[in-house]
Amino acid sequence: SHLPTEVWNQILGFLVDDGISIVRLSACSPSLHQYITTNQFLWKKICKNKWKFPLQQDQALNQDIDNFQLEYQRRHALDARTRVQLTEMTGDLGNELEYE
């Protein structure tokens, strides 16, 4: 019993803010995994929703993007590294200024 594509599109539309949940949802069935991982329109929409798209410094790069799921993974990894660096900097600054 597979849900129609229109229903999946509606469900995935509610998750457009959360690419990680969409990836987790894709583990539910092989056919859903195939649909989610090959749906470039969905991944482009997720990327545009999450980041100002294209980023100014990536503009030339983004003109050639053909796999928006990989672009999501790339930008998500950059965000994660940035969060770690900002947390370290905040901690260092707090220690330097003796803030709790």
Side-chain angles (χ1 to χ4, degrees):
S1 64
H2 297 282
L3 292 175
T5 302
E6 298 80 25
V7 174
W8 279 120
N9 287 339
Q10 190 73 20
I11 292 168
L12 295 171
F14 290 121
L15 296 174
V16 76
D17 293 333
D18 187 4
I20 301 302
S21 291
I22 289 175
V23 170
R24 288 181 180 141
L25 184 63
S26 75
C28 292
S29 76
S31 61
L32 183 57
H33 177 78
Q34 176 70 19
Y35 178 72
I36 288 174
T37 57
T38 60
N39 188 334
Q40 290 304 305
F41 177 78
L42 171 66
W43 287 103
K44 184 175 184 177
K45 187 175 178 182
I46 293 168
C47 286
K48 282 185 171 186
N49 192 55
K50 186 160 178 73
W51 298 282
K52 183 180 176 192
F53 193 77
L55 296 176
Q56 293 300 325
Q57 64 269 28
D58 290 345
Q59 196 163 18
L61 222 162
N62 283 327
Q63 291 173 358
D64 299 322
I65 292 174
D66 59 352
N67 189 327
F68 287 94
Q69 185 179 12
L70 291 178
E71 180 66 2
Y72 179 90
Q73 291 170 356
R74 183 184 77 81
R75 289 186 181 194
H76 181 75
L78 286 172
D79 286 356
R81 287 194 304 266
T82 302
R83 276 191 297 277
V84 168
Q85 291 173 344
L86 287 174
T87 300
E88 290 174 3
M89 290 169 52
T90 301
D92 291 345
L93 185 59
N95 290 338
E96 192 67 31
L97 298 175
E98 298 179 2
Y99 287 131
E100 293 278 331

